Amino acid sequence: MTSNPSPRGWELLLVMAGALAAMAGTTAAFITHEHAWRYLITAGCFVQVIGWVRHGRRLRGGAR
């Protein structure tokens, strides 16, 4: 089995969706000056972290 440093499948979807949500929330917060957009930023970062953690667990489990 070859270890791939970039995420694939669901991990890639979670990382990309989280990044897009965080960027959209940051842009909206910057334009509208509304503090409610920080919840979208936080959710996007959280989803992105979940994707990276799942990717890390997949690689660690396959290395054994």
Side-chain angles (χ1 to χ4, degrees):
M1 180 175 167
T2 61
S3 62
N4 191 354
S6 61
R8 291 183 175 177
W10 286 105
E11 294 89 5
L12 178 62
L13 179 67
L14 289 173
V15 169
M16 293 308 295
L20 288 173
M23 286 190 315
T26 302
T27 303
F30 181 72
I31 291 172
T32 63
H33 300 290
E34 293 285 332
H35 292 289
W37 290 108
R38 64 185 163 171
Y39 297 115
L40 179 62
I41 298 168
T42 304
C45 292
F46 182 69
V47 168
Q48 193 174 16
V49 166
I50 289 173
W52 283 114
V53 167
R54 287 181 52 102
H55 172 66
R57 284 187 184 164
R58 182 177 60 90
L59 285 182
R60 249 183 291 140
R64 292 181 185 179

